Amino acid sequence: MRPEASRPAPSDRGWLRPLQGPALAVSLWLAVAAGLAGCATGPGGRSEARACCSTKALPASGVFHPGVLLDPALRWTSDAGLEMSLSSLKGHPLVVAFFFADCHVICPFTVEKMRGVEAALTPREREQTGFVLISIIPEQDTPAALAHYRREHGLNPQRWTLLNGGRQAVARAAQALGVEVGRDRAGRTVHGSEITLIDPSGAVKAQASAINGDWDLFMSQLHQLEVVAVPR
């Protein structure tokens, strides 16, 4: 499956936006845990405003803009070094999440949950389904770094696509799927743990937190999806 290369619509008003309310409280708690785990310390013990992870409740509206995510004008570079848009994957079920390669808090749960989804599929379903990880730190997660991450975690290149994009692309993609990407009061980058299921037509069919989501519903929706022919 490797490629050849209501809420107001998302805007380009900046990559990171402050988190507020419960999302901020959870972010701060996890930032402390991340710091204890080494997420806030650089090489040689140097203190840095390193990126850390957070999770949050799903958006109350449940309204998404997946058409923005699949817009051919929204360009990415894959871990294979290919420039592409996610529209090239349309026609297949897609399981999409945000992460960064050096994350040691929420992201490992997210990736393992996605691997669990992959393992739970029938061979035919597995062959038809694409898994997409979008880095929220494009400056750090170069295509080479993403390729190393994919190899290190044994992610099948025929089914998994790891993406690097500019800050505006990340912001638009996150807003399109209702996923928080922002900074906590300590200046750390935080993001939601949602994993989103997009059907072959490009509509959001399900979304669940990697931590406490309704995975029976998610898998039920995924099992119902079929690959469709997409006009080119």
Side-chain angles (χ1 to χ4, degrees), residues 138-187:
E139 299 90 346
Q140 175 177 300
D141 288 340
T142 63
L146 293 177
H148 175 77
Y149 183 93
R150 180 177 54 75
R151 291 191 300 269
E152 186 176 51
H153 289 79
L155 306 179
N156 189 316
Q158 298 304 313
R159 292 191 288 273
W160 289 75
T161 304
L162 281 63
L163 296 179
N164 170 295
R167 292 186 174 189
Q168 290 187 351
V170 173
R172 293 185 68 198
Q175 291 174 28
L177 297 183
V179 176
E180 291 282 5
V181 174
R183 290 192 188 277
D184 63 16
R185 291 177 180 173

Side-chain angles (χ1 to χ4, degrees), residues 63-139:
V63 176
F64 308 100
H65 301 279
V68 173
L69 184 69
L70 300 177
D71 184 349
L74 199 60
R75 308 300 294 178
W76 307 91
T77 302
S78 74
D79 58 284
L82 300 176
E83 184 177 340
M84 60 173 288
S85 76
L86 282 173
S87 63
S88 64
L89 301 181
K90 196 172 180 180
H92 295 262
L94 298 178
V95 179
V96 183
F98 295 84
F99 89 123
F100 62 95
D102 196 32
C103 171
H104 304 293
V105 185
I106 298 301
C107 301
F109 286 100
T110 300
V111 175
E112 282 308 305
K113 180 61 71 173
M114 292 174 71
R115 289 175 61 121
V117 169
E118 181 183 29
L121 298 175
T122 67
R124 181 171 179 270
E125 290 172 333
R126 195 174 302 126
E127 186 64 27
Q128 294 176 344
T129 303
F131 295 83
V132 180
L133 288 170
I134 299 175
S135 171
I136 65 168
I137 311 182
E139 299 90 346

